[in-house]
Each structure stands twice: as structure tokens, then as C-alpha cells.
Amino acid sequence: MSSADGSLPRPYVLASLLTIVLVGVATTVGLFVPGFYRDAPVLLPQVYGQDLLTLFVALPVFAVALYYAARGSLRGYIVWLGVDGYLLYTYASYAFMTAFNELYLVYTTLLWLTLVTFVGGIVRLDATEVKRAAGDLSVRPYVGFQVLLAVLVAFLWLAEVLPAIAAGTTPPCVAEAALPTSVIYSLDLGIIVPAFLLTAYWLRKRRAWGYAFTAVLLVKAATLGLAVLAMAAFQFRDGQLVPVPVLAVFGGLTLSSLVLLGRFLRSIGSAADPTTSPVRDDDSVSTADRRSSRES
């Protein structure tokens, strides 16, 4: 973080608290009000799975990370920013793809709230500090994972998109959902896949922003992967066929992202994570050490 005292500015805290309230309302209504969603039956298990993961996993993690980020924790800040990215992705898809319902304005409000905090959070993130805190962490597993994730996701979606383009038809999942197109295709192929590839390239070159974006994207990948698995569970319960390769890919990617994220956060914690004291204390110690070294 780049502020003088290392703490999260008050507007970001307030925006995140409002996000927590609105997400809690949206997911609770979606899960527990019978017949609330008006989407095609094929989409309902996916929406329920997303709501379940968001309410019981993403939201508590977001709240805890916000608490530590507000206190100046670099690890808390990274997790807060990553889960905010997950919520941005989620409510972008709800705002653009979910059938119109009484929570439409909640979805659009969450869209701009999470977008503003995510962009502002990235701007405030001190990439050099993230790289320094990561220390001598080996980058090879992280580069390989991000390239593999991008390739597999691109392959999964292009395997449906390219045959439809060649045949002049619509991909089956789009046709079954009675949608004009797939927002998920657009977000993944247009933003997520390029983001992972660019971050992998930067990390391979050991650029500071490669470390920063890797940390944030790992949180995003873990939460989104868990959401996909939750969707699959609801699809199984609904009697829908879930392709085993898709389930295996997302299961493997989710587990890998959690393991790599844990390693990354531990490396930051062992180097310079201020979870028990504000960043300003670390900064002041570092400044004093440098001054002492110069005087000696």
C-alpha cells in the first residue's frame, strides 16, 4: 500500500462495508426466497452455487481481510483486493446476464462499487513492496500455473465457441440458456485469460507488478474455482450432466491456486507482514535501520 500510514482509506472501508451488506442481501434473497430467479432452468443451479459460495465463503473472507487491510496488513490488503475482484466478476455477470428481477439495482450498485474499489485498490498497491516482501520466493510454479490456467480456460471455452462459429450456429450452453451470448465467455476470454498471461510474463521477468498481480489473481482464481465447484454440486443435485473434464480442470486449478496462494501469503508474512502492527511501524523501523547503516 502506498499511503503514509499503510491503512486503508476511509472511503474504501465504507464502500467495502456497503458491499458486504448488499452482497449479504442479494445472496440471502437469491438462496432462500423460493422462485426468486427467473432464469432458464439450466442456469438456476449455477446461480444458486454462486450465491452459496459467495455468502458462506467469499463474504466472510472479504470481511476478515477488510479488517486486517484497514489495520495496515499487506496480506489482508491482497486478500481483500482479490476477493473484491471476485465480487466484481460475479456481479458483472449478474448485472449483464441474470434475468431481470427486483435486485437489478443492487447488482448494478455492486458492479460500480466493486469496480471503483478494485481499480483504486490496484492503484494504491505498492508493487515494489509486494515483491520485496515475497523475498526469494521461486516464481516458476506461479508462472507455470498462470500459463496453464489461461490455456485450459481458453481451450474449454474455444472448444465450444469455434465449432459454433464454423457452423454458423450458437454454442449449446448459450442456446439452452436462451441467451443472446455468454457474458462468461466474454469476461474470461477478453479479460481473465489475457490478465493471467500478461501477469505470468511480468513475473517471469521478475517485474514488481508481476508479483502484485499474481497475488491478487490467485485469490480471484481460488474463489472463482470454488464457486464453479459449488455450481457443479447444484447441477448434480438438479440432475444435470456436468462434463467430467470441466470438473476435473476446475477442481485441479482450485486446489493448485489455494496451495500457491498459501505459499505466497506465508512468504509475505515471514518477510514483512504487519498483521500485528501497522505498516507505518515497519516503515519507521526500516527507515531507522537505513539511517543507522549510513551513520556506521
Side-chain angles (χ1 to χ4, degrees):
M1 291 169 286
S2 58
S3 63
D5 64 359
S7 61
L8 199 62
R10 185 177 179 82
Y12 290 80
V13 175
L14 294 177
S16 296
L17 290 174
L18 180 56
T19 296
I20 291 171
V21 172
L22 293 179
V23 170
V25 170
T27 52
T28 300
V29 170
L31 283 171
F32 300 111
V33 175
F36 178 76
Y37 289 117
R38 303 165 185 165
D39 300 87
V42 70
L43 286 179
L44 291 178
Q46 300 177 38
V47 179
Y48 291 141
Q50 186 95 51
D51 280 349
L52 183 71
L53 189 283
T54 301
L55 179 61
F56 293 108
V57 178
L59 205 56
V61 172
F62 186 67
V64 173
L66 173 64
Y67 171 77
Y68 283 106
R71 296 179 62 205
S73 166
L74 180 58
R75 286 192 296 187
Y77 190 92
I78 287 171
V79 175
W80 165 78
L81 194 56
V83 179
D84 187 76
Y86 161 79
L87 294 174
L88 170 58
Y89 180 100
T90 297
Y91 287 99
S93 65
Y94 277 46
F96 294 124
M97 189 171 71
T98 302
F100 186 88
N101 60 48
E102 290 80 359
L103 290 178
Y104 171 76
L105 292 179
V106 173
Y107 303 150
T108 56
T109 301
L110 284 168
L111 175 58
W112 70 258
L113 270 177
T114 54
L115 177 61
V116 168
T117 50
F118 185 77
V119 172
I122 288 292
V123 170
R124 294 190 69 259
L125 182 60
D126 188 341
T128 303
E129 171 63 15
V130 176
K131 179 180 179 181
R132 186 195 68 78
D136 58 356
L137 181 71
S138 174
V139 302
R140 287 186 178 180
Y142 296 89
V143 172
F145 170 76
Q146 291 182 95
V147 172
L148 178 63
L149 184 148
V151 170
L152 288 176
V153 171
F155 176 79
L156 284 174
W157 296 157
L158 291 177
E160 299 178 5
V161 170
L162 293 180
I165 291 176
T169 59
T170 302
C173 67
V174 177
E176 291 171 3
L179 296 171
T181 188
S182 172
V183 172
I184 303 303
Y185 287 164
S186 302
L187 291 175
D188 286 354
L189 295 175
I191 299 176
I192 302 302
V193 168
F196 274 106
L197 290 176
L198 181 59
T199 300
Y201 173 76
W202 282 345
L203 186 62
R204 184 175 179 274
K205 296 294 183 180
R206 296 188 180 274
R207 296 181 183 177
W209 278 109
Y211 287 83
F213 279 116
T214 292
V216 173
L217 288 174
L218 281 174
V219 179
K220 165 71 171 62
T223 48
L224 190 59
L226 289 171
V228 171
L229 295 178
M231 295 177 197
F234 272 90
Q235 287 177 296
F236 276 125
R237 194 185 73 167
D238 194 54
Q240 295 185 24
L241 178 64
V242 180
V244 174
V246 173
L247 195 59
V249 165
F250 277 100
L253 291 177
T254 301
L255 180 60
S256 299
S257 62
L258 288 170
V259 171
L260 291 173
L261 176 61
R263 287 184 56 193
F264 200 106
L265 293 177
R266 282 197 301 272
S267 71
I268 291 177
S270 62
D273 183 58
T275 52
T276 58
S277 62
V279 170
R280 56 179 174 273
D281 294 338
D282 290 336
D283 290 343
S284 63
V285 171
S286 299
T287 302
D289 290 342
R290 290 194 296 268
R291 186 181 298 116
S292 176
S293 299
R294 287 197 299 269
E295 290 174 355
S296 62

